[in-house]
Structure formats: structure tokens, C-alpha cells
Amino acid sequence: MFFASDNWAGAHSAINERLMNETTRFAAAYGNSDLDRTIEARFNDIFEKEVAVFFVATGTAANSLALANFAKPGGVIFAHADAHVIEDECGAPDFFSGMRIAPVEGTAGKIDPARLKARISRFPQDAVHHGRANSISITQATEVGTIYSLDEIRAISAIAKENGLPLHMDGARFANALVKLGTTPAEMTWKSGVDALSFGGTKNGCWCAEAVIFFDPEKAKEMPFLRKRAAQLFSKSRFISAQFDAYLKDDLWLDLARHANSMADLLREGLASSNSVRLAWQTESNEVFAVLPIERMHAAHAKGAKFYDWSEPANMAQPVQEGEMLVRLVTSFATERKDVEDFLEIVQAG
Ligand SMILES: Cc1ncc(COP(=O)(O)O)c(C=O)c1O
Ligand SMILES: C[C@@H](O)[C@H](N)C(=O)O
């Protein structure tokens, strides 16, 4: 019963086999192998246009370097107040971009367009003291398990375009959002106004595979130097390509995300129908937030369930009561139906 994070999951067997196969041969290093070129071209197919692709080691690196690519002195990045780039990356985006991030409020973990507009207006391009608006970052799926609809992405990108700001998408869980919306990678990104994407594979079955994708290659000319200076250029880049080769083949990545989401659906249904536990808020991705009686939480931990308690957001519809605990439950490609059923049986008992 591993629900702490999809970062705890292993790697899918097809990806492991492809990686092992790649390790048996020589090939050009530093992104210059035939396989690197093949996979870069595969991303053109997936996004239905020519894109610039840069492999990096972590989602934090992807976010930090994507934002650094657009950086200017005194620049201000706008992200949701609970965004990973603010809360969980140890200042890496600020460090690598030399800019700062202004938090923007919004319900359900999503930037509110009106608040974004108001925030941007405080950072005009001549604000040498206060700082000038530089870029916007949204997370899809969000840190609280919600998903921007295409219209919501387009509302944010319209504001970005009005102000001449690039829009970045933190897609650490891109596949989970994509299959939930039932749309295409192109529609959920550049066709809705996204300029740069952190394309995450690690949380969805890869061993270590993250990519920064720019939808106008002309705007990514500095990226090779930013990546190398950040020590993010893999010498054996083909081992990242090999993972993506298997990940993207025959839509494996979409099947893995669908499974993770379906296990979260099972969890949500069980929690919602219970008398003793409840959903903290409605989520749509592979992340579920629940309120448990503390004794049920301890019982689950005692039986080996792995999950974190979570800090209560300010605007919870039904606040956590004395004797209760808010917890985060994350499913993955490797979550089994029995894991969910066993967990629900424990927390609903008593
Ligand atoms: C929404 C989100 N973005 C980015 C990251 C960063 O990924 P990493 O931990 O690989 O740096 C994470 C980590 O799980 C995440 O949850
Ligand atoms: C840091 C923690 O939030 C990590 N990004 C996760 O999703 O598990």
C-alpha cells in the first residue's frame, strides 16, 4: 500500500528492458547519438510540430531551466501560491533564473486569471526597483490533484500574450492530466498558448526521464548553454532517450497514466462513500487528499501503508476537526487494485 508519492514507484518493465538493451552498445555521447535524434523527432510527432527538446535529470531541473531560458534581470515569474516551483524546489528556479517568483492565489490549486492580471499590473516593464513581469508558470496536473481545463489554460495564456509573457507548464504529471482531459498533447500545450513544457516521465514509469520542450525552437537558443552550466547535460544521453523510446512506444505512457488515474478513481469512490473518512476536496488526477480519524491513520500505518499527512490549506470547505488528519494519497502505474481495497478496508473499519 504505497501512496506516499508516485516518486516511490519503480520503473515499468518495458522501459527497463529497453534501457538494458541500450547499455550493451557504444554510441555518441552528450546527445549526439542516432537514438537521441530519433527520440527528439518523436517529440515532433507527438506535439504535431517541430519542437526543441532538452533532457534533464529532474522535474526541478526542467522547471528551473525552462524559466531560466526566458530570464531577464529583475524579472518576476508568476505561479500559484502552492506551486512546486515555490514550495518544493529549494529556490532552484530563482537560483537558475536569477529572478523571483510572485505567488498568485486561486482556488483548487489553479491560478485565478483576475488575480493574475492584478499581480502582473504591479510589475511594469520599467519597474527597475520593484521588478518587471517576465513569465507565468502553471502546473498540469496541479500540486493538489486538480487539472486545468483547456479553457482555463487559454484564459491564462491570453493574459500572458496580452502582456508579452511566455507561459511555462510544469508537466511533472502531464500524462495524468492529458488522459483525464482526453485531449491531445498539442491541444493541451502550444495550441492553447503554452510556450515551454516540463515533460515528466519519471513519476509515470521511467527510471529517470525528464525533458524541457520549447514549442518555438527559435526561443530556445540559449538552452544548450543553460543546461550544461547547470550540470544537466547527460554524457550518456541515449539512456534517457532509451527510456523515452519505450515510454512513448505504442502509447505506453498514456496507458500507465490511465491506470494510475483509475486507481485514484477507485480510492476517491471508496472514500466518498464512507461514513468515517472523507475527501478533503475533489481531485481529478492520481493524487487524492483525504481526512481520516487519527486512529485510522495509525492503523493504516501499522499495517504497512505508506503515505504523508498534509498541511491543511486555508480555504478547506470542511476544516479538519480535532482527532482527524489530512493525508495525501498518490497512486501510480504500479498501484494495484488490492492496494486500494486493503487501504479502504483499514481506514473505514471501526
Ligand atoms: C508538481 C511537481 N513538479 C515538479 C516536481 C519536481 O520533480 P523532482 O522531484 O524530480 O525534481 C514534482 C516532484 O514530484 C512535482 O510534484
Ligand atoms: C516534493 C514532493 O511534493 C514531490 N514533488 C512529490 O510529489 O512527491
Side-chain angles (χ1 to χ4, degrees), residues 14-72:
I15 293 166
N16 290 337
E17 284 157 27
R18 180 66 187 85
L19 179 55
M20 289 308 110
N21 173 273
E22 190 61 29
T23 62
T24 61
R25 61 173 67 94
F26 282 86
Y30 296 109
N32 296 312
S33 74
D34 293 341
L35 181 59
D36 290 314
R37 298 278 177 268
T38 299
I39 298 308
E40 286 168 3
R42 182 89 58 83
F43 277 102
N44 294 340
D45 298 337
I46 285 173
F47 285 97
E48 303 170 48
K49 79 187 302 290
E50 185 191 357
V51 297
V53 186
F54 300 89
F55 302 146
V56 294
T58 67
T60 296
N63 290 339
S64 301
L65 295 179
L67 295 167
N69 183 69
F70 299 112
K72 290 180 181 173

Side-chain angles (χ1 to χ4, degrees), residues 52-340:
V53 186
F54 300 89
F55 302 146
V56 294
T58 67
T60 296
N63 290 339
S64 301
L65 295 179
L67 295 167
N69 183 69
F70 299 112
K72 290 180 181 173
V76 178
I77 303 159
F78 302 92
H80 188 273
D82 298 331
H84 203 267
V85 290
I86 293 177
E87 290 295 320
D88 280 310
E89 300 188 359
C90 190
D94 315 58
F95 176 75
F96 284 105
S97 71
M99 301 192 289
R100 63 188 176 98
I101 310 177
V104 182
E105 295 300 335
T107 57
K110 295 186 271 190
I111 286 177
D112 175 85
R115 289 169 180 252
L116 174 63
K117 270 188 178 176
R119 208 82 164 89
I120 290 172
S121 68
R122 292 179 51 201
F123 298 91
Q125 291 305 306
D126 61 355
V128 72
H129 300 281
H130 195 45
R132 52 180 169 171
N134 176 270
S135 50
I136 301 165
S137 181
I138 59 174
T139 308
Q140 178 80 327
T142 75
E143 291 79 2
V144 296
T146 55
I147 291 172
Y148 284 88
S149 68
L150 296 186
D151 285 345
E152 287 171 330
I153 295 170
R154 290 165 184 161
I156 299 288
S157 69
I159 296 168
K161 298 302 176 278
E162 281 164 24
N163 292 276
L165 306 181
L167 175 59
H168 163 255
M169 176 181 277
D170 172 351
R173 295 182 179 89
F174 183 80
N176 302 92
L178 190 69
V179 297
K180 181 66 181 179
L181 292 183
T183 187
T184 68
E187 286 292 343
M188 200 166 83
T189 55
W190 65 274
K191 288 186 177 179
S192 294
V194 174
D195 296 289
L197 169 67
S198 299
F199 183 87
T202 307
K203 296 159 184 47
N204 189 35
C206 290
W207 169 74
C208 169
E210 303 287 316
V212 190
I213 296 175
F214 294 90
F215 298 107
D216 178 356
E218 284 304 307
K219 293 181 181 168
K221 297 293 186 191
E222 296 303 305
M223 193 59 188
F225 299 92
L226 288 166
R227 178 176 59 174
K228 182 64 180 182
R229 186 182 65 179
Q232 286 290 319
L233 175 59
F234 285 100
S235 64
K236 295 185 180 178
S237 172
R238 67 187 186 282
F239 292 170
I240 308 303
S241 295
Q243 294 176 74
F244 276 133
D245 189 14
Y247 184 68
L248 300 170
K249 186 178 178 189
D250 301 332
D251 286 346
L252 174 64
W253 64 303
L254 304 180
D255 294 340
L256 298 180
R258 284 191 191 98
H259 177 80
N261 288 1
S262 70
M263 292 296 99
D265 289 341
L266 194 62
L267 199 49
R268 277 186 282 264
E269 286 156 22
L271 292 166
S273 62
S274 166
N275 297 321
S276 55
V277 299
R278 68 180 187 275
L279 289 171
W281 55 85
Q282 194 56 40
T283 59
E284 305 151 284
S285 71
N286 62 316
E287 293 192 65
V288 180
F289 294 83
V291 178
L292 311 179
I294 288 179
E295 51 92 11
R296 289 294 91 212
M297 184 187 76
H298 290 321
H301 281 146
K303 297 226 171 167
K306 303 296 182 190
F307 57 93
Y308 295 128
D309 56 64
W310 208 251
S311 54
E312 182 177 355
N315 53 359
M316 251 179 80
Q318 191 178 339
V320 177
Q321 304 300 310
E322 185 73 27
E324 294 182 329
M325 185 63 78
L326 172 63
V327 301
R328 177 199 190 210
L329 304 164
V330 188
T331 57
S332 75
F333 80 95
T335 302
E336 295 181 7
R337 174 178 285 268
K338 186 174 186 319
D339 298 323
V340 176

